[in-house]
Amino acid sequence: MKKILIVEDDQSIANLQKDYLELSGYSVKTVNSGSAGLKALKEEEFQLIILDIMLPDIDGFEVLKTVREQDDIPVLLVSARAEEIYKINGLGLGADDYITKPFSSGELVARVGAHLKKFERMKERFGKGNEGSTIQVRGLEIQKDARRVFVNGNEVVLAQKEFELLLFLLQNANRVFGKEELFERIWGMDAMSDASTVTVHIARIREKIEEIPSKPQYIGTVWGSGYRFMV
């Protein structure tokens, strides 16, 4: 049974989410603060986190930063703030999805299921037949088995989806992919979010692997079409 952590200070919302997820076959733990969420993550193992941004002590962004330093598990940010800057910040910090309140319980269950399935597929993909497998292009090195990335010998830390997106483009070098296709390939969902997520993640990857992000040597933009890894 997959175990989910809900970090939500509104107990009525947390209880409603918990009820629907448990009816769908998940084990669920709820906490009402960022510090309690981090404590729970140290004490127990979870397969997915539903994380509110506006929390009474440590906000969701700070919790997300801490989680991403230690774990790649799916994190779904939820917030009543619909402004684009909140979504960009959350996705840029490594969130797998951003859900704006109010949302239906059915939508939440669907998103949780999609992210868990995608994460399991990625674990299987990297866990079989890739031992010691390394790809190197100029100064960029990707160790698929260890999920590590090096630029000119220096390790850079990529969030889960950043790593998957970079690896996918590299394994399909010189082929152009539109944002919508990349979203479906990496996030495994259609119309459950939007393709601007890809733009945010490409920008974050460039900041980490490109010497001059505005003049990329690895991930190029094909105007009007999408992105390609340049070999």
Side-chain angles (χ1 to χ4, degrees):
M1 183 179 291
K2 302 296 184 184
K3 193 169 184 179
I4 297 171
L5 175 65
I6 297 175
V7 187
E8 168 66 64
D9 64 326
D10 187 323
Q11 196 59 50
S12 61
I13 293 177
N15 288 339
L16 184 62
Q17 294 175 355
K18 183 175 186 290
D19 289 344
Y20 272 88
L21 288 168
E22 287 182 339
L23 285 172
S24 299
Y26 300 107
S27 173
V28 182
K29 179 183 181 71
T30 65
V31 295
N32 59 10
S33 70
S35 57
L38 293 175
K39 183 174 183 292
L41 287 166
K42 290 181 179 179
E43 297 174 345
E44 303 177 54
E45 182 177 347
F46 298 91
Q47 281 70 56
L48 182 141
I49 306 169
I50 299 172
L51 177 62
D52 190 21
I53 291 178
M54 307 303 290
L55 296 169
D57 52 357
I58 308 171
D59 70 32
F61 290 143
E62 290 300 319
V63 174
L64 176 59
K65 287 180 185 178
T66 302
V67 170
R68 280 293 171 255
E69 290 172 357
Q70 307 166 7
D71 210 321
D72 282 338
I73 66 171
V75 177
L76 279 61
L77 285 179
V78 296
S79 176
R81 306 302 297 264
E83 294 92 333
E84 187 177 22
I85 187 62
Y86 282 86
K87 182 174 184 179
I88 290 173
N89 286 343
L91 295 173
L93 289 171
D96 296 275
D97 206 346
Y98 187 102
I99 313 173
T100 304
K101 298 177 183 179
F103 50 84
S104 71
S105 298
E107 178 186 4
L108 177 66
V109 171
R111 288 181 186 247
V112 165
H115 283 291
L116 285 171
K117 288 177 182 177
K118 178 65 177 179
F119 188 63
E120 287 300 317
R121 287 198 297 270
M122 292 307 301
K123 284 202 301 183
E124 291 178 3
R125 181 185 303 174
F126 288 107
K128 295 179 180 179
N130 288 316
E131 291 79 5
S133 183
T134 298
I135 304 176
Q136 188 161 2
V137 178
R138 300 186 291 279
L140 179 67
E141 178 184 317
I142 297 182
Q143 297 179 359
K144 295 193 295 182
D145 56 332
R147 298 177 68 85
R148 301 176 72 183
V149 177
F150 297 83
V151 178
N152 298 322
N154 299 312
E155 185 170 7
V156 296
V157 179
L158 269 63
Q160 175 194 339
K161 288 296 186 291
E162 294 169 0
F163 182 88
E164 294 170 13
L165 182 56
L166 174 60
L167 181 60
F168 177 79
L169 288 170
L170 177 54
Q171 290 177 322
N172 295 275
N174 293 322
R175 177 180 168 184
V176 178
F177 292 92
K179 291 187 290 186
E180 292 77 10
E181 183 177 0
L182 286 172
F183 183 82
E184 292 179 14
R185 294 288 190 106
I186 303 304
W187 278 262
M189 296 176 290
D190 183 14
M192 295 186 74
S193 186
D194 61 77
S196 63
T197 299
V198 174
T199 304
V200 173
H201 280 70
I202 290 291
R204 293 284 294 183
I205 294 170
R206 283 174 172 164
E207 289 176 4
K208 296 176 180 180
I209 70 170
E210 302 283 3
E211 184 176 354
I212 305 175
S214 61
K215 298 180 180 180
Q217 62 170 315
Y218 296 114
I219 301 179
T221 300
V222 180
W223 298 108
S225 299
Y227 303 101
R228 68 185 179 94
F229 191 95
M230 300 177 291
V231 174

